[in-house]
């Protein structure tokens, strides 16, 4: 799954830049970097789209919007209330009901239904499995309760970072790379020369040293001797 967020920078009531960001692809503006660090759903503020049907009348359908914790009246003197909601329903090995993750892979709601003062239905209904329910009905009921959709606001967590020393770090990396290049491909070597004049006879003494790539030093040293001998 690829989660993206569109950010717009507004400065002095003017839009400066708009960019769609995702993980490892931030928005940069005047030294600031805006990263997408997290995302999710606001499960504390959601609406559940439900439907009431009758087994005796397949054509009967009554849509209903439910908010957890708020009783909602329906025809035939029915009152529905959602007491629990989990976005990814699972039953553990110990028999406990919990959520496997915070993503809506298997959303489920626990509802209580009364008809007047009579408890009519109590149990879990599922958005992905409309025909399946975990219910505790006091007695067989003609009503069938469905969870059609789950609506919750999505959010993106944005992290803002600014490092004024970034340019110096990049400059240091460039100089470090240049130094490594010179160390490997331009090895240091030295050649010394001593010129002596004894009674009109000129003697030249040469010597050299190289920390690496000595073959290149030998070639250069040989070329230098050849040039000196050919000089008149």
């Amino acid at each position: 799954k690829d989660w993206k967020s569109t950010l717009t920078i507004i400065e002095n009531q003017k839009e400066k830049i708009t960019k769609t960001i995702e993980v490892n692809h931030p928005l940069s503006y005047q030294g600031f970097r805006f990263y997408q660090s997290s995302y999710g759903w606001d499960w504390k503020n959601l609406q559940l789209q439900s439907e009431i049907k009758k087994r005796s009348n397949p054509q009967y359908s009554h849509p209903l919007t439910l908010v957890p914790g708020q009783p909602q009246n329906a025809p035939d003197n029915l009152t529905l209330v959602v007491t629990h909601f989990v976005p990814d329903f699972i039953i553990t090995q110990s028999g406990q009901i919990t959520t496997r993750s915070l993503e809506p892979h298997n959303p489920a709601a626990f509802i209580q239904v009364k008809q007047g003062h009579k408890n009519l239905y109590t149990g879990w209904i599922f958005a992905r499995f409309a025909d399946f329910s975990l219910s505790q009905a006091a007695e067989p009921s003609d009503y069938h309760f469905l969870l059609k959709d789950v609506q919750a606001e999505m959010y993106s967590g944005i992290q803002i970072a600014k490092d004024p020393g970034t340019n110096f770090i990049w400059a240091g990396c460039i100089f470090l790379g240049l130094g490594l290049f010179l160390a490997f491909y331009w090895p240091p070597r030295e050649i010394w020369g001593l010129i002596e004049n004894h009674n009109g006879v000129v003697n030249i003494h040469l010597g050299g040293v190289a920390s690496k790539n000595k073959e290149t030093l030998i070639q250069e040293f040989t070329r230098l001797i050849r040039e000196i001998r050919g000089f008149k």
Side-chain angles (χ1 to χ4, degrees):
K1 181 181 292 185
D2 192 11
W3 189 281
K4 299 180 180 180
S5 302
T6 301
L7 298 185
T8 299
I9 303 296
I10 299 177
E11 185 177 3
N12 296 327
Q13 299 181 351
K14 293 183 179 180
E15 293 187 6
K16 295 296 184 178
I17 185 174
T18 297
K19 181 181 178 180
T20 299
I21 67 172
E22 54 186 322
V23 176
N24 297 327
H25 293 82
L27 181 151
S28 299
Y29 180 74
Q30 294 186 356
F32 291 91
R33 288 181 176 268
F34 299 83
Y35 295 89
Q36 180 176 274
S37 59
S38 63
Y39 66 90
W41 290 261
D42 184 9
W43 297 124
K44 294 182 179 180
N45 298 283
L46 75 155
Q47 291 184 343
L48 307 175
Q49 303 301 325
S50 63
E51 183 180 10
I52 303 175
K53 299 183 72 68
K54 288 184 177 181
R55 294 181 173 86
S56 60
N57 182 8
Q59 303 301 323
Y60 179 86
S61 175
H62 180 75
L64 200 64
T65 300
L66 300 176
V67 176
Q70 299 181 11
Q72 182 68 36
N73 296 326
D76 299 335
N77 200 24
L78 296 177
T79 302
L80 290 78
V81 60
V82 176
T83 59
H84 296 86
F85 171 81
V86 291
D88 193 3
F89 182 94
I90 187 176
I91 300 178
T92 64
Q93 293 181 351
S94 61
Q96 293 182 342
I97 294 176
T98 184
T99 183
R100 180 167 27 202
S101 68
L102 294 179
E103 297 190 10
H105 295 309
N106 186 24
F110 188 85
I111 64 171
Q112 294 178 347
V113 183
K114 289 185 177 182
Q115 191 171 33
H117 297 287
K118 177 183 177 182
N119 291 326
L120 188 65
Y121 178 92
T122 301
W124 289 93
I125 55 177
F126 301 85
R128 299 287 177 87
F129 308 97
D131 295 332
F132 178 76
S133 64
L134 293 176
S135 62
Q136 297 176 353
E139 58 185 39
S141 173
D142 187 34
Y143 297 97
H144 185 41
F145 305 97
L146 304 177
L147 180 59
K148 305 295 292 184
D149 192 18
V150 177
Q151 298 175 350
E153 293 292 334
M154 298 179 179
Y155 68 85
S156 293
I158 305 299
Q159 181 179 358
I160 305 174
K162 183 178 182 180
D163 187 357
T166 301
N167 293 333
F168 295 101
I169 294 175
W170 281 112
C173 292
I174 293 174
F175 283 115
L176 178 61
L178 181 60
L180 292 174
F181 176 82
L182 294 177
F184 283 101
Y185 297 99
W186 195 357
R189 54 184 179 270
E190 297 180 7
I191 296 178
W192 299 282
L194 177 62
I195 302 176
E196 295 180 337
N197 189 342
H198 293 285
N199 300 323
V201 179
V202 177
N203 295 320
I204 300 177
H205 303 275
L206 296 176
V209 64
S211 60
K212 59 181 66 176
N213 200 2
K214 296 181 180 180
E215 293 78 7
T216 302
L217 175 64
I218 294 174
Q219 294 176 3
E220 186 174 350
F221 197 81
T222 303
R223 178 184 58 80
L224 182 60
I225 293 176
R226 189 182 302 113
E227 291 179 356
I228 293 175
R229 287 177 176 176
F231 179 77
K232 294 182 180 180

